[in-house]
Amino acid sequence: MNEVLKAIKSRRSVRAYMEQQISQEDLNAILEAATYAPSGMNYQTWHFTAIQNATVLEELNKKIKGAFAKSEEPRLQERGHSQTYCCYYHAPTLVIVSNEPMQWWAAMDCACAMQNIFLAAKSLGIGSCWINQLGQTYDDPEVRAFLTELGIPENHRVYGCAALGYAVAAPVKERQLAEGTVTIIK
Ligand SMILES: Cc1cc2nc3c(=O)[nH]c(=O)nc-3n(C[C@H](O)[C@H](O)[C@H](O)COP(=O)(O)O)c2cc1C
């Protein structure tokens, strides 16, 4: 099996990270891979904001929890009031993937970039996970103000985030594949 297929089949979402930061060189390679993703009409209107500052990440988590606390959904409220909830699993790096929501395919462009991030990370021995909570809360006024402080363009919405870091050793779960998801017509 070639290296790309190996990376695709062996990638798993990582939800427990070591404190050790990934190198600047690896981060650059991962972000470069993101920018090589396909995009509708080749617009490349996305933006990738990598955060490697633990204090900034904790503050971001606090803002997200603040938004959840205002929700009417009990599950989100519980997360909002939890002392221990950390949406990015204490990963040392978080990449926020945002885009102009002007084109209907903005979300697809970001999803392609996210998968490039996950596969590039896997190829470098770095664990990753899609983190959705900022996608749910980016338009909360306090979250938005914080994103603006971080330099995320005002006209962007967040489509996803990628947690990155070295995985705490854990047995790799066998992937359970849904049945009947592929059709070949000849
Ligand atoms: C759009 C999307 C949103 C996701 N959001 C989260 C999330 O917020 N937190 C999380 O732990 N995993 C999240 N995941 C990861 C999925 O739970 C995971 O990919 C799925 O369970 C399959 O497991 P695997 O990635 O290990 O193969 C998300 C995945 C996708 C594609």
Side-chain angles (χ1 to χ4, degrees):
M1 204 189 303
N2 72 45
E3 294 304 315
V4 175
L5 291 175
K6 259 191 229 165
I8 289 171
K9 291 185 77 172
S10 61
R11 181 215 53 82
R12 294 290 182 284
S13 295
V14 169
R15 298 187 176 87
Y17 293 90
M18 303 203 293
E19 266 182 47
Q20 187 193 345
Q21 186 56 275
I22 65 172
S23 71
Q24 184 67 51
E25 191 189 359
D26 284 350
L27 177 63
N28 289 346
I30 291 167
L31 294 174
E32 186 183 39
T35 63
Y36 270 79
S39 66
M41 305 280 286
N42 197 22
Y43 277 176
Q44 304 178 48
T45 46
W46 46 39
H47 196 85
F48 305 97
T49 307
I51 307 175
Q52 294 197 300
N53 179 310
T55 310
V56 172
L57 285 173
E58 279 162 28
E59 193 58 28
L60 180 63
N61 190 56
K62 228 197 247 173
K63 303 282 184 206
I64 291 170
K65 282 191 347 181
F68 281 166
K70 294 177 208 165
S71 164
E72 287 178 6
E73 225 184 283
R75 190 177 56 92
L76 294 183
Q77 262 189 32
E78 194 185 313
R79 286 178 174 183
H81 292 114
S82 160
Q83 296 295 315
T84 53
Y85 178 71
C86 177
C87 70
Y88 61 94
Y89 306 112
H90 302 284
T93 296
L94 187 75
V95 181
I96 300 172
V97 181
S98 65
N99 207 344
E100 295 173 10
M102 298 297 287
Q103 309 297 345
W104 64 267
W105 58 77
M108 288 83 127
D109 292 353
C110 288
C112 287
M114 291 281 287
Q115 181 71 340
N116 272 17
I117 289 174
F118 299 143
L119 294 179
K122 177 71 199 173
S123 76
L124 295 166
I126 293 167
S128 65
C129 187
W130 184 306
I131 304 298
N132 226 20
Q133 287 69 13
L134 201 52
Q136 294 168 278
T137 57
Y138 73 94
D139 58 353
D140 171 86
E142 285 167 56
V143 174
R144 185 85 246 182
F146 193 64
L147 294 178
T148 303
E149 270 181 51
L150 298 177
I152 293 171
E154 295 271 11
N155 65 336
H156 274 207
R157 61 168 281 185
V158 174
Y159 286 97
C161 298
L164 296 171
Y166 293 99
V168 169
V172 177
K173 273 190 273 166
E174 192 61 32
R175 178 71 182 242
Q176 299 297 317
L177 295 180
E179 282 179 28
T181 59
V182 176
T183 300
I184 299 174
I185 297 168
K186 289 193 179 183

